[in-house]
Structures are given as C-alpha cells and as structure tokens.
Amino acid sequence: MLSISVGSLSLPLDRLLLLLSIALAIFVGNILGRNNKQSADGKIATLFILSMLVARLVFVVQYWAEYQGDWLAIIDIRDAGFNIWAGVLTALTLTAYFCFRFKKLRKSLLIGLGAGVFFWLLTATTLWLIEDTSQKLPTVVVNHLSGESVPLDNIESGKPRVINLWATWCPPCRREMPVLQQAQQDHPNLGFIFVNQGEHEAVIEQYIAKESLLLKNVVADGKAVLGQLVGSRALPTTLFIAADGRIVDAHLGELSSAKLKSKLNRLSTESHEVLSEEKK
C-alpha cells in the first residue's frame, strides 16, 4: 500500500507513519517529563526539526545541479527529497548532546524517542511482512492511443522501467511532465511509460497535442486498474521497475528533477545487482 485515504485526502503512507511516530515521541516525552517538571517534548520536536533540515540540506547539496535553476524548489519539500542517513546521524548526535547537556531530561527524552522509534519500526515491519517485498509489476492490459490493447509488461520489457500513473485533470501530474519528458530523452537505456488513469484515448491525445509534449509510450488504463493493484489512491504515482520486473521503488506525489534523479540512481543500482545475480 502506497497511500491511505482520509475522506477525500490521500496521504503517502510512509510520511504518515513518520508523522505519527514523531507525534507519539513528543507526547510520551511530555507525559514523562511532567513528573519532574522538565518536559522533553520541546527537545524532541527540536531534534526532529533540525534532523529534517540537515537531511534536506544534504540532499540539496547532493543534487545541487538540479536546484540551481529553481531556487524555490529548495524549500519545496513536497518531493520528499531528504538524505535519510544525514538525518539519522544528526538525530543521534543531538540525542547524545541533549542527554549530556540536560541530565534531568535524559529519561523522558530517551523513552519518548524510543516510543516513537519503536512505533515506526513496528508499523513499518508489519506492513513489510504483509506485503510481498518482491512484488512484481501487476498484469494489466492497457490501450495504445490508437486503441490497440497490449499487456503493460510487454512495453519496454527487459529494461529497467519508470511507470508514471497520471491524469490530465491532475495539476501535479501536469507540472512533473516536463521533468519526466526530459528524463526519457536523457536515459534511452530506461523505459519510461505513461499510464493514464481513467480517461479516454481522445482526451489524452488532445492534452498531449495542446501541451506539445514529446512523450513515448503513452497508454490508457481506462478503468484505473493499475493504481488499484499497486495500492495507490492518489496521483501522480511513479513506479520504478527493475529489469526482472520487480517494483523496487515508488513515489507518490510530484517528482522534482532532483528527486527523480535520486530514484533513477537507486533503480540503476538495483538493475546492476540483478544483472550480477543472473551472471552468477
């Protein structure tokens, strides 16, 4: 499952679990700290905020070339562009500092953080066990814009693939199209497939012509079956498929050029590993 729906709002599941974990850590730190009138909730909130800032800054530095032309994109964290290891290292460093500097808060701080981490590990591991971690691309029949039906897995088969689920009525889908179009042109070794969800071929063709998009492999999934099968309740959703057909990564929401580049780097790594295993 990639997302969860709350009324008409769809939230990425991984980010929702992280927010719930942070909230739990702050709550537990506050409750325990009341006993000695030294609540740790402020320190826990500070720790998470600073960790996320460092994780974002390191990510921006990593992909600086992608951000130079768009300064506002640096503060647009909707693309979920964070360096996880930088954030974890910052959190551990700040935890050690706070424990040394504020000894009266040590117990409530550590228990609060422990509760948040335990909740995240428990929920993430449970979801990992429930779902098939080696999930293959589902069997779905889509239509070329000419109306001809074709199994999705037959398109660009044998290559690592990027499959974008989108619709013409979706503003984030429209905003990320130039980024994906450029990536398709820059990476001929990868298969980019644009699977429209729930619209007629004529509507798609009209939109592509109006926007002067130069996209290959645009197909229609008239009943939006693919989104249902991969557990995505929102658009855009982008799947990253290894050469052996495994879904190795996914992104819910608009992709920035930096985030897409980081995802493609991971896809390349996974694909190299697959080739290495096959050679053995």
Side-chain angles (χ1 to χ4, degrees):
M1 183 184 296
L2 297 177
S3 63
I4 187 169
S5 293
V6 181
S8 61
L9 180 65
S10 291
L11 298 172
L13 192 56
D14 56 347
R15 277 162 262 181
L16 177 60
L17 291 180
L18 179 60
L19 289 175
L20 290 175
S21 300
I22 294 172
L24 178 62
I26 292 172
F27 176 75
V28 172
N30 176 270
I31 294 298
L32 292 176
R34 289 178 182 177
N35 296 330
N36 55 15
K37 298 181 181 180
Q38 293 285 331
S39 177
D41 55 346
K43 294 293 184 292
I44 294 174
T46 299
L47 183 150
F48 279 113
I49 291 170
L50 290 177
S51 297
M52 292 184 69
L53 281 173
V54 171
R56 178 64 176 181
L57 287 173
V58 172
F59 182 85
V60 169
V61 170
Q62 276 184 289
Y63 297 98
W64 180 244
E66 311 300 321
Y67 286 104
Q68 282 183 308
D70 187 3
W71 293 91
L72 289 177
I74 294 175
I75 60 174
D76 186 356
I77 62 173
R78 290 176 299 177
D79 67 351
F82 297 94
N83 184 295
I84 303 301
W85 294 112
V88 170
L89 181 60
T90 301
L92 291 174
T93 302
L94 287 173
T95 299
Y97 171 74
F98 287 156
C99 286
F100 175 78
R101 180 71 176 78
F102 306 99
K103 294 183 179 179
K104 290 184 178 181
L105 296 177
R106 186 180 299 170
K107 182 178 179 180
S108 56
L109 178 69
L110 291 176
I111 294 178
L113 289 173
V117 171
F118 177 76
F119 174 79
W120 184 85
L121 287 174
L122 179 64
T123 51
T125 302
T126 301
L127 288 171
W128 182 79
L129 291 173
I130 291 174
E131 294 183 350
D132 182 1
T133 55
S134 59
Q135 182 183 3
K136 290 272 190 175
L137 180 66
T139 301
V140 177
V141 175
V142 294
N143 293 332
H144 288 298
L145 298 187
S146 61
E148 178 188 358
S149 297
V150 60
L152 177 60
D153 197 41
N154 287 3
I155 304 174
E156 300 283 8
S157 61
K159 284 184 178 181
R161 286 169 288 180
V162 178
I163 299 181
N164 180 249
L165 285 67
W166 69 289
T168 63
W169 49 260
C170 164
C173 300
R174 298 198 297 266
R175 288 196 299 267
E176 73 176 1
M177 274 298 170
V179 172
L180 290 164
Q181 176 179 266
Q182 188 62 51
Q184 186 177 53
Q185 295 171 0
D186 293 342
H187 300 277
N189 58 316
L190 302 178
F192 284 78
I193 308 169
F194 301 88
V195 185
N196 182 278
Q197 297 292 283
E199 295 181 294
H200 193 273
E201 290 86 341
V203 174
I204 304 168
E205 280 191 304
Q206 183 180 16
Y207 173 77
I208 290 174
K210 179 182 177 182
E211 299 297 322
S212 301
L213 293 171
L214 302 174
L215 301 172
K216 299 177 183 177
N217 302 322
V218 180
V219 294
D221 177 11
K223 295 183 179 179
V225 175
L226 181 58
Q228 298 172 34
L229 291 177
V230 300
S232 175
R233 301 176 182 274
L235 298 176
T237 293
T238 307
L239 308 175
F240 298 85
I241 316 295
D244 61 354
R246 287 180 302 114
I247 300 176
V248 297
D249 204 352
H251 183 83
L252 178 63
E254 183 179 349
L255 279 164
S256 66
S257 57
K259 187 63 178 180
L260 178 58
K261 188 173 182 179
S262 72
K263 294 286 189 181
L264 294 182
N265 287 342
R266 180 182 173 185
L267 180 59
S268 297
T269 300
E270 292 279 352
S271 298
H272 284 311
E273 291 176 358
V274 169
L275 290 174
S276 298
E277 288 294 326
E278 289 178 349
K279 288 179 180 179
K280 291 179 182 178

